Amino acid sequence: MKSQWNDDEARRALEAYGAEGVNEDIALRVYTTRLIGRDPLLVLHGGGNTSVKTRAVDDLGQEHDVIAVKGSGADMAEIEPWGLPAVKLGPLREMRGLDALSDEAMVNCQRLNLLDAAAPNPSVETLLHAFLPHKFVDHAHAAAVLSLVDQPDGVALARELYNGRMGIVPYIAPGFDLAKVAADVFDEKPDVEGLILHKHGIFTFGDTAQDAYERMIEMVSLAESRLRQGRPVVFQAGQLPGATASAAEIAPILRGACAIHRPGQEPVRFIAEYRSSPAVLDYVNGAELASYSQRGVVTPDHIIRTKNKPLEVPAPESGKLDDFAKAVEAAVETYVAEYDLYFARENEAVGGTKTKLDPMPRVVLVPGVGLFGLGRSAKDAAIAGDLAENTVRVITDAEAIGRYEPLPESDLFALEYWSLEQAKLAKQVVKPLTGQVAVVTGAGAIGTATAKALAGDGAAVAVLDIDGEAAAEAARAVKGIGIACDVTKPGDVANAFAAVCARFGGVDLLVSNAGAAWQGRIGDVPDEVLRKSFELNFFAHQTVAREAVAIMLKQGTGGALLFNISKQAVNPGQNFGPYGLPKAATMLLMRQYALDYGADGIRSNGVNADRIRSGLLTDEMIAARSEARGVTETGYM
Ligand code: ZN
């Protein structure tokens, strides 16, 4: 690991923030916080924080010693000064004299001493930062350090490697108690350059932003060099079938098995994010996967995103998806039963005060295929995927030098069911389509607006269009995926739906919207034109619906088909047969799907859209159609 400090960039940060009235300490604190936040080997998704002790003026014009510390909700990679709320240092330091302090009281004290009442909550590790004397303090959950300390003899390994340069702090859950013990460890040997937190992470400090940051890089690099002394081949490969099914084939099965069924309501569904780097495959293909993968999270706060244990399922043999589905169902059942027992056991130990979270896994390991991160949104699924990949790295390196051994579950329950996290969950907004995957065909005016509406309601959205650029543009607006697809070509459609399954894990909603209008007096229309219109305005609807339904059946959680039909299907206009005839057939197609798949919970509906200015209903088309119906353009519209 190399230092990314750059004098020119640091100076530019000073100039830019200086122009906004931000002091030098904060400007450089922002600069090196970003350097740390941008390296996934140091921090991932909120794991880590930084601080600087400086002076700040309140609204009365009085100047105070403050600690500007990372606030909750700020992303270190993109942090701005607002993400480092200033808290009066004096009162925080006085708290060290207390014997005990609840998490709620700690948060209350921190908020009471903010200079800005609207600032985000200072990090839960604020007191640890405040009790240390150094101006700049950096904290990360560096992968290499975790591989070193997540060992039965992790403390001894860290002592030997750092040779007195780092204090070693035993594991205590983040909060007041940890801050006190860390400060005591520091006081015993005040010349240390940082602290190793057993089974948690690393702190470094310094008088300047550069010193604290470069110490972080140096100490993590030392851990990395120690790991390089490990075995080059860590995992012996286990038995795999000759050919395994693809991620796209199995993702809907996994998604379906992990969905939570609720009588009379939509199931709780998850989005799945697939990962298959060589390191991931090496890990999931290991003969001992069931051992090393099930020992728990690499650092406590991952548990909120990944739960303590991933779900492990057997390798899916190509062509035997039914067997795989049965095995997955059984594995999920076991996982849920074990989670329920864990919760009951640990909740009883704390007096039965906790509200149970859903028992579903957030990471699925599939030998021969890779891993899947699960989340209620695509973003949450990606975070679970990132943390799972990081876990693969940490455990691989830990096993290379010894035996991976993280914290016992009793220590982790406190984090998973931490009162402050439980409070956050209670405030979470679930949108009507949260957890659902929608596919929209046609990236014109109606398709784009539909994609936006679905994404606004929480769905992960894929847009298919014959014009790949148009699909990509419509998808960009909704943070979805755009796929080039000619819906009249069954091969194209199959590939597009496979891509959606590989990206989001399946399909719950299909808006079959792509279409085009052909006109002509029915007796004069060449067969070729009529057949072309039937290809797009009827057969393509059938092709996409068939693909979507096949995936929905694999998931077993129902779904919805929505066909954009046309007024022409029920109220045909003169000389518009080439358009209206296939649309009328599509209306019956919609009914047929309702009849044939309603019992599977798949709804089928259509919209006879009309008078929507779009790529299809252009000014010329309006002129032609109003003339055909013998009304004015205004009257027609
Ligand atoms: Zn931490």
Side-chain angles (χ1 to χ4, degrees):
M1 175 167 290
K2 287 204 168 53
S3 168
Q4 303 296 317
W5 176 279
N6 176 302
D7 285 336
D8 291 335
E9 281 179 21
R11 194 174 332 111
R12 274 198 292 278
L14 281 174
E15 285 166 8
Y17 287 116
E20 296 170 17
V22 172
N23 83 21
E24 287 192 6
D25 292 339
I26 303 280
L28 291 175
R29 181 66 287 176
V30 167
Y31 173 57
T32 59
T33 300
R34 288 183 177 190
L35 294 184
I36 293 170
R38 283 172 188 176
D39 190 339
L41 296 181
L42 290 175
V43 303
L44 275 173
H45 305 297
N49 39 66
T50 58
S51 69
V52 60
K53 297 174 184 86
T54 183
R55 303 273 289 168
V57 179
D58 68 15
D59 291 332
L60 296 172
Q62 287 173 345
E63 202 171 312
H64 300 270
D65 282 324
V66 296
I67 181 167
V69 61
K70 202 204 91 156
S72 80
D75 175 357
M76 284 172 72
E78 310 291 335
I79 203 159
E80 292 288 347
W82 68 260
L84 292 158
V87 194
K88 287 178 203 159
L89 189 57
L92 292 186
R93 285 195 162 151
E94 269 183 55
M95 287 157 74
R96 196 176 164 189
L98 297 172
D99 289 332
L101 188 68
S102 73
D103 291 330
E104 286 79 4
M106 179 181 80
V107 169
N108 185 49
C109 289
Q110 289 173 181
R111 285 210 69 81
L112 280 173
N113 288 291
L114 284 166
L115 261 56
D116 175 359
N121 271 342
S123 159
V124 297
E125 280 156 341
T126 294
L127 291 181
L128 204 165
H129 287 257
F131 293 170
L132 294 167
H134 306 81
K135 190 169 179 73
F136 287 87
V137 178
D138 297 8
H139 170 47
H141 298 163
V145 171
L146 293 173
S147 296
L148 188 74
V149 296
D150 283 344
Q151 301 274 344
D153 57 347
V155 169
L157 280 168
R159 275 196 211 293
E160 187 191 328
L161 179 66
Y162 293 112
N163 196 20
R165 293 178 67 190
M166 299 288 276
I168 313 287
V169 182
Y171 180 75
I172 297 172
F176 176 70
D177 295 341
L178 172 61
K180 272 186 70 151
V181 170
D184 291 346
V185 169
F186 172 79
D187 285 349
E188 276 168 34
K189 199 169 182 301
D191 63 338
V192 292
E193 295 163 69
L195 300 170
I196 297 293
L197 272 56
H198 191 42
K199 302 195 195 268
H200 172 167
I202 173 172
F203 276 78
T204 55
F205 22 76
D207 293 333
T208 67
Q210 187 176 0
D211 278 355
Y213 167 72
E214 291 192 331
R215 272 186 181 143
M216 175 67 74
I217 300 302
E218 187 191 351
M219 297 304 169
V220 175
S221 299
L222 278 174
E224 287 178 336
S225 62
R226 175 67 185 84
L227 298 177
R228 280 195 290 273
Q229 296 167 21
R231 293 179 288 142
V233 176
V234 184
F235 304 123
Q236 296 302 320
Q239 277 286 325
L240 287 178
T244 45
S246 70
E249 286 176 294
I250 65 164
I253 294 172
L254 298 172
R255 256 190 105 221
C258 292
I260 302 167
H261 296 266
R262 301 179 299 180
Q265 286 184 69
E266 280 288 322
V268 172
R269 298 175 174 95
F270 296 93
I271 307 293
E273 165 104 7
Y274 174 55
R275 302 289 170 94
S276 62
S277 69
V280 166
L281 289 173
D282 207 36
Y283 182 89
V284 297
N285 293 348
E288 303 298 320
L289 178 67
S291 169
Y292 54 76
S293 75
Q294 296 297 316
R295 292 180 205 152
V297 287
V298 300
T299 186
D301 75 351
H302 285 194
I303 198 165
I304 294 154
R305 295 290 192 174
T306 64
K307 296 218 183 274
N308 196 31
K309 292 175 183 176
L311 172 71
E312 191 198 335
V313 299
E317 191 172 346
S318 181
K320 295 192 174 170
L321 290 179
D322 286 347
D323 293 348
F324 178 71
K326 282 195 197 93
V328 168
E329 204 177 309
V332 171
E333 211 170 286
T334 305
Y335 186 97
V336 168
E338 282 176 3
Y339 188 86
D340 289 350
L341 285 173
Y342 151 75
F343 177 78
R345 190 165 61 231
E346 297 296 335
N347 189 36
E348 196 187 319
V350 297
T353 53
K354 302 297 182 185
T355 307
K356 197 172 138 212
L357 303 168
D358 80 68
M360 288 302 170
R362 292 300 189 275
V363 177
V364 185
L365 306 177
V366 191
V369 178
L371 69 78
F372 293 85
L374 301 184
R376 291 281 278 136
S377 65
K379 190 179 163 204
D380 285 348
I383 290 173
D386 288 349
L387 295 180
E389 276 204 81
N390 180 258
T391 300
V392 164
R393 184 185 187 100
V394 171
I395 296 181
T396 304
D397 288 347
E399 288 280 301
I401 60 162
R403 183 179 196 276
Y404 173 65
E405 187 186 275
L407 289 164
E409 72 172 23
S410 52
D411 276 313
L412 294 163
F413 182 80
L415 261 286
E416 187 177 4
Y417 283 89
W418 196 29
S419 52
L420 302 178
E421 288 296 339
Q422 292 241 298
K424 247 190 251 173
L425 286 175
K427 286 184 209 152
Q428 235 169 37
V429 182
V430 177
K431 295 179 175 177
L433 300 181
T434 291
Q436 303 208 39
V437 181
V439 173
V440 179
T441 69
I446 296 177
T448 300
T450 303
K452 272 187 195 154
L454 296 172
D457 272 347
V461 179
V463 182
L464 277 44
D465 196 285
I466 193 164
D467 176 352
E469 273 301 303
E473 200 184 315
R476 244 192 313 276
V478 298
K479 293 195 174 110
I481 54 166
I483 302 171
C485 174
D486 179 346
V487 288
T488 63
K489 293 187 176 143
D492 257 28
V493 173
N495 288 340
F497 276 80
V500 176
C501 289
R503 178 65 190 80
F504 293 131
V507 174
D508 306 295
L509 301 167
L510 167 68
V511 181
S512 186
N513 161 70
W518 283 272
Q519 301 184 77
R521 204 169 165 196
I522 197 63
D524 304 332
V525 174
D527 274 2
E528 189 196 327
V529 169
L530 197 55
R531 286 181 195 281
K532 212 168 149 186
S533 184
F534 262 89
E535 282 300 333
L536 180 58
N537 292 319
F538 171 73
F539 281 105
H541 286 286
Q542 158 64 357
T543 308
V544 293
R546 188 176 55 208
E547 284 290 337
V549 162
I551 294 165
M552 290 170 188
L553 292 176
K554 263 190 192 177
Q555 292 168 165
T557 49
L561 308 174
L562 181 63
F563 297 92
N564 187 0
I565 309 173
S566 169
K567 173 191 67 179
Q568 287 299 318
V570 289
N571 177 9
Q574 253 181 358
N575 302 332
F576 215 15
Y579 184 61
L581 290 166
K583 287 291 195 177
T586 296
M587 196 170 74
L588 293 186
L589 180 74
M590 174 266 287
R591 292 177 168 176
Q592 198 64 48
Y593 269 100
L595 285 168
D596 290 352
Y597 296 99
D600 297 293
I602 297 169
R603 301 191 301 274
S604 179
N605 291 281
V607 174
N608 289 321
D610 188 24
R611 290 169 289 175
I612 295 171
R613 280 184 197 275
S614 65
L616 193 150
L617 195 60
T618 57
D619 288 345
E620 296 75 57
M621 183 64 81
I622 291 167
R625 294 313 313 148
S626 53
E627 196 190 332
R629 289 202 182 241
V631 293
T632 64
E633 287 186 26
T634 315
Y636 178 79
M637 289 307 282

